[in-house]
């Protein structure tokens, strides 16, 4: 639950023009960092994420400098040094992904109380903002973009798990169990569980037709 102080912080970010996808990415990063350190205390306020939001917003502002002033040659040289992917290829991938998400949302529009439908609506809004931001950035950062796409994918995965029926989930788990069983004794427990979870998420995404957004699928 957000406190009045948290809402005031959010309002401040909005008034200053902090892009939504930058704030979401920063919050995701702050919580990932917290979880990796295995703190015993839980995070009870959004103030915990303030420093990361401010840092990523500052980096975003820096990436905008000269976005309308650099020559085409300078821009191309900068992109080659900061991103392993051509801007046009990335934008085409983001455009296709946005189209797929919009199509799935339209198909589920009439589904009442559907968490996946609501997540798709948020995902398309975020992805559209991310795409526009990448298109106009003077120095497009593929690593930052991948962080944003990972956050959107995580949101969609959570919504899929909340939407899938118990029968569908059991069927998918049984399918994955039989698929990975021959390899279990050759893997340590952590690696086996991670592999099983990755395959289950992949199977559920395919079931609902949700595309992968990561640049690895460019």
């Amino acid at each position: 639950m957000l406190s009045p102080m948290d809402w005031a912080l959010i309002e401040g970010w909005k008034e200053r023009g902090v892009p939504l996808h930058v704030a979401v990415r920063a919050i995701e990063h702050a919580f990932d960092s917290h979880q990796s350190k295995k703190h015993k205390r839980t995070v009870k306020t959004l103030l915990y994420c303030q420093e990361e939001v401010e840092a990523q917003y500052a980096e975003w502002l820096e990436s905008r400098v000269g976005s309308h002033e650099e020559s085409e040659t300078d821009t191309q040289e900068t992109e080659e040094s900061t991103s392993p992917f051509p801007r046009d290829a990335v934008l085409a991938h983001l455009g296709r992904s946005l189209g797929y998400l919009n199509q799935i949302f339209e198909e589920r529009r009439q589904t009442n109380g559907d968490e996946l439908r609501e997540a798709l609506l948020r995902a398309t809004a975020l992805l559209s903002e991310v795409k526009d931001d990448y298109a106009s950035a003077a120095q497009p950062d593929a690593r930052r973009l991948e962080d944003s796409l990972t956050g959107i994918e995580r949101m969609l995965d959570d919504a899929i798990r909340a939407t899938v029926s118990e029968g569908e989930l059991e069927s998918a788990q049984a399918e994955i169990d039989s698929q990975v069983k021959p390899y279990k004794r050759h893997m340590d427990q952590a690696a086996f569980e991670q592999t099983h979870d990755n395959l289950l998420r992949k199977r559920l995404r395919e079931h609902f037709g949700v595309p992968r957004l990561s640049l690895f699928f460019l």
Side-chain angles (χ1 to χ4, degrees):
M1 297 294 291
L2 296 175
S3 68
M5 180 63 72
D6 292 332
W7 282 111
L9 184 62
I10 294 171
E11 185 176 1
W13 291 339
K14 181 179 180 181
E15 290 176 350
R16 290 167 54 202
V18 177
L20 178 59
H21 73 277
V22 173
V24 171
R25 182 177 65 208
I27 292 170
E28 289 273 358
H29 185 273
F31 274 91
D32 286 344
S33 177
H34 178 271
Q35 292 172 358
S36 68
K37 295 176 183 176
K38 297 182 180 179
H39 290 284
K40 293 182 179 179
R41 294 184 179 180
T42 59
V43 177
K44 299 181 188 223
T45 173
L46 201 57
L47 288 169
Y48 178 81
C49 308
Q50 181 177 12
E51 184 176 346
E52 185 64 27
V53 171
E54 295 293 342
Q56 295 213 21
Y57 178 48
E59 291 181 6
W60 180 82
L61 287 175
E62 185 177 353
S63 75
R64 313 302 295 171
V65 174
S67 59
H68 300 293
E69 299 173 1
E70 291 188 356
S71 67
E72 182 176 345
T73 300
D74 290 340
T75 300
Q76 183 176 358
E77 291 177 351
T78 300
E79 287 182 19
E80 291 175 351
S81 64
T82 58
S83 174
F85 308 105
R87 189 193 298 242
D88 288 346
V90 172
L91 292 176
H93 169 68
L94 297 178
R96 287 192 301 271
S97 299
L98 189 57
Y100 291 144
L101 293 181
N102 273 315
Q103 180 180 346
I104 301 169
F105 172 74
E106 289 298 328
E107 291 172 354
R108 304 186 70 87
R109 180 184 286 275
Q110 304 302 322
T111 308
N112 295 324
D114 187 293
E115 288 194 36
L116 180 55
R117 183 194 62 182
E118 298 303 320
L120 285 165
L121 182 61
R122 295 194 300 272
T124 53
L126 283 170
L127 187 58
S128 179
E129 185 175 342
V130 167
K131 179 176 177 291
D132 291 344
D133 185 50
Y134 195 86
S136 59
Q139 302 178 30
D141 189 327
R143 183 179 63 83
R144 292 291 184 188
L145 173 61
E146 182 65 21
D147 288 343
S148 293
L149 297 178
T150 298
I152 297 173
E153 283 193 334
R154 183 180 301 173
M155 176 181 66
L156 290 170
D157 284 339
D158 290 344
I160 288 173
R161 290 297 290 265
T163 302
V164 66
S165 69
E166 185 176 342
E168 291 170 331
L169 181 58
E170 290 178 352
S171 176
Q173 287 177 327
E175 179 182 331
I176 301 304
D177 286 343
S178 64
Q179 184 177 347
V180 300
K181 185 177 180 180
Y183 307 97
K184 185 173 184 178
R185 64 190 181 91
H186 301 292
M187 304 170 68
D188 62 58
Q189 186 65 23
F192 177 79
E193 291 178 356
Q194 183 63 58
T195 301
H196 186 283
D197 189 52
N198 288 343
L199 289 172
L200 180 60
R201 287 203 305 270
K202 179 177 182 293
R203 180 68 185 82
L204 292 177
R205 287 192 197 105
E206 291 173 349
H207 176 72
F208 285 95
V210 175
R212 292 302 307 270
L213 307 179
S214 171
L215 296 179
F216 288 105
F217 297 87
L218 192 63

